[in-house]
Amino acid sequence: MRILTGAVMAALLSTSGAFADPVDDNLVLNEETEMVVRTAAPDHVSEALDEVMSGWLFRGTETRAMQMDDFDNPGMIFVEQGMDTWSKVDGSEGKSCASCHNDIDSMAGVKATYPKWNEAAGEVRTLQMQVNDCRTERMGAEAWKYDSGTAINMEAALASVSRGVPVNVAIDGPAQSTWEKGKEMYYTRTGQLELSCANCHEDSYGMMIRADHLSQGQINGFPVYRLKNTKLNGSHSRFKGCIRDTRAETYSPGSPEFVALELYVASRGNGLSVEGPSVRN
Amino acid sequence: MASGVKPRVKVPKKATAGDSITIKTLISHKMESGQRKDKEGNVIPRSIINRFTCEFNGENVVDVTLEPAISTNPYLEFEAMVPEAGEFKFTWYDDDGSVYEETKEITVG
């Protein structure tokens, strides 16, 4: 009996190491849209990874199910609020987003290409920066605070109409120097714990970090509805949280550093479907 | 009225008589428990949905009492038997006296 118990214990111990591995599952949205949650790594990260995987694969059964149906996905509440804002007139010019862009469905595919080089401004811009440019330059309205409720709702509304479209951010041409800067940040250890993004999300994904599963840190699912704070979270706010956890001074959401990091991290997920608003814990 | 309140309901459009169907409901609501304090230390007044009911052709299907510990945007899912074609009526009761209603038709065939 004692020997038998020992054998069972050994079996349990040997499987527990694989406990945090990504699951083998397919994400089909509303029983119609097939999403790419696992694909061959793009060329520029193929040295580090064979496959890129959505964070969805690292979550539990219930959390995964929540994202599969728009009614069950609490992030869609905020998408609806963003869509209301889309057609609401604001600012001195008497315009709404819809005045120029018509129905929000016309923006399908846009989220997949951001952050993106803006020739006129001579800088790489995130989607939120571009929205604010529209607000201040075309609508005569005030810019929204980066990652604030209204801004993130709009980003989620824009992401929602691009769901299923593969992420495809450009990293060459004028965007390349920003991308290189983001890459350097990704591999630079920071904070008292001396951790880089890569230490957790490249070297250790599939392992436990305390009680949680470490994913590859892909941002194709942003904005993310997190069960822990019951609201949408932007990628810059998430970066800030990660850097804070290394016990370092962090950058601010919307800062040039985070714009560069967003471009680099987004490029690591080129080929994965846009999922925002995704559901994570 | 609490701001940003919007009821949502998902009911199949069609059912077989005598079969049970799954109904999903969600109302966006802050569900402020009345236990929290603001920065100045004052209690934030309680503001929750305290009751939810569902009726089918005037007959009660479910009557739920909601308590302060229920989280924001309460989601309720339940099953109902559909004996005939008709209308589901959903009602949410707010602490401040507001009543939010939603109806859904269902056919049998």
Side-chain angles (χ1 to χ4, degrees):
Chain A
M1 188 61 203
R2 240 181 147 171
I3 294 163
L4 185 64
T5 315
V8 171
M9 280 303 291
L12 281 173
L13 285 172
S14 65
T15 51
S16 65
F19 186 63
D21 278 347
V23 294
D24 189 14
D25 198 359
N26 294 316
L27 174 55
V28 182
L29 197 65
N30 302 319
E31 293 175 5
E32 54 183 26
T33 315
E34 189 96 26
M35 310 278 262
V36 178
V37 287
R38 189 191 276 268
T39 189
D43 286 343
H44 55 271
V45 280
S46 57
E47 273 180 34
L49 302 168
D50 295 332
E51 238 185 353
V52 287
M53 287 175 264
S54 163
W56 184 79
L57 293 171
F58 294 83
R59 299 277 69 96
T61 316
E62 299 83 0
T63 313
R64 292 203 307 280
M66 273 179 121
Q67 197 187 318
M68 292 175 89
D69 186 304
D70 279 0
F71 195 90
D72 296 341
N73 182 345
M76 293 309 286
I77 294 171
F78 300 95
V79 166
E80 278 181 31
Q81 289 170 6
M83 287 184 172
D84 288 345
T85 311
W86 179 262
S87 47
K88 204 166 10 175
V89 172
D90 196 6
S92 58
E93 304 301 307
K95 284 183 189 171
S96 70
C97 307
S99 310
C100 296
H101 297 290
N102 304 316
D103 197 81
I104 196 167
D105 288 335
S106 70
M107 307 303 274
V110 170
K111 176 73 170 79
T113 62
Y114 272 86
K116 192 178 181 179
W117 175 257
N118 184 304
E119 191 59 52
E123 62 179 3
V124 169
R125 279 186 175 170
T126 63
L127 194 51
Q128 281 190 46
M129 289 162 78
Q130 196 58 48
V131 168
N132 269 339
D133 185 79
C134 268
R135 287 184 57 78
T136 54
E137 301 306 311
R138 297 202 213 179
M139 293 167 67
E142 267 182 46
W144 287 321
K145 186 172 176 287
Y146 211 91
D147 275 359
S148 63
T150 334
I152 208 77
N153 289 353
M154 182 56 72
E155 189 181 337
L158 289 164
S160 74
V161 296
S162 291
R163 283 181 298 172
V165 177
V167 175
N168 185 21
V169 296
I171 64 169
D172 50 4
Q176 198 187 349
S177 64
T178 307
W179 182 81
E180 297 282 1
K181 187 177 157 196
K183 183 176 181 182
E184 197 188 322
M185 285 178 72
Y186 192 88
Y187 286 102
T188 304
R189 290 170 181 264
T190 61
Q192 289 179 323
L193 297 184
E194 292 188 72
L195 287 169
S196 73
C197 308
N199 292 138
C200 288
H201 296 291
E202 184 174 291
D203 303 339
S204 312
Y205 68 86
M207 289 164 68
M208 303 296 283
I209 181 164
R210 297 180 68 183
D212 200 3
H213 296 183
L214 264 179
S215 73
Q216 285 186 346
Q218 299 289 354
I219 56 170
N220 60 309
F222 276 83
V224 167
Y225 180 86
R226 296 193 72 186
L227 300 168
K228 73 172 232 176
N229 61 13
T230 64
K231 66 180 185 75
L232 288 178
N233 299 263
S235 57
H236 290 200
S237 301
R238 193 69 195 82
F239 293 156
K240 188 178 167 182
C242 264
I243 293 177
R244 180 205 57 209
D245 290 348
T246 72
R247 299 188 193 159
E249 286 286 335
T250 89
Y251 306 101
S252 301
S255 61
E257 289 83 3
F258 277 167
V259 173
L261 189 58
E262 183 181 342
L263 175 63
Y264 178 68
V265 179
S267 80
R268 290 174 69 95
N270 270 357
L272 294 172
S273 294
V274 172
E275 280 178 38
S278 62
V279 184
R280 305 285 188 262
N281 45 338
Chain B
M1 192 208 250
S3 63
V5 180
K6 189 174 171 192
R8 298 165 178 80
V9 177
K10 192 174 180 184
V11 178
K13 287 194 172 63
K14 227 174 147 183
T16 312
D19 260 16
S20 77
I21 56 157
T22 300
I23 294 174
K24 295 175 175 181
T25 77
L26 187 152
I27 187 161
S28 46
H29 195 284
K30 59 185 174 178
M31 295 293 277
E32 186 61 56
S33 69
Q35 308 274 355
R36 301 197 305 159
K37 289 176 179 170
D38 64 16
K39 278 180 189 142
E40 283 77 47
N42 305 311
V43 172
I44 306 170
R46 181 183 125 155
S47 168
I48 67 166
I49 299 285
N50 56 47
R51 184 182 173 210
F52 166 77
T53 62
C54 171
E55 287 176 2
F56 182 69
N57 290 345
E59 195 187 339
N60 181 254
V61 178
V62 67
D63 191 337
V64 184
T65 303
L66 287 90
E67 303 287 355
I70 292 172
S71 67
T72 180
N73 306 331
Y75 172 93
L76 294 165
E77 180 180 323
F78 52 93
E79 293 186 346
M81 189 103 85
V82 185
E84 64 211 15
E87 187 184 74
F88 279 102
K89 185 179 171 199
F90 306 89
T91 316
W92 292 261
Y93 297 86
D94 198 309
D95 268 352
D96 63 12
S98 310
V99 174
Y100 315 103
E101 286 179 339
E102 180 85 5
T103 55
K104 289 279 175 193
E105 300 279 339
I106 189 163
T107 58
V108 162

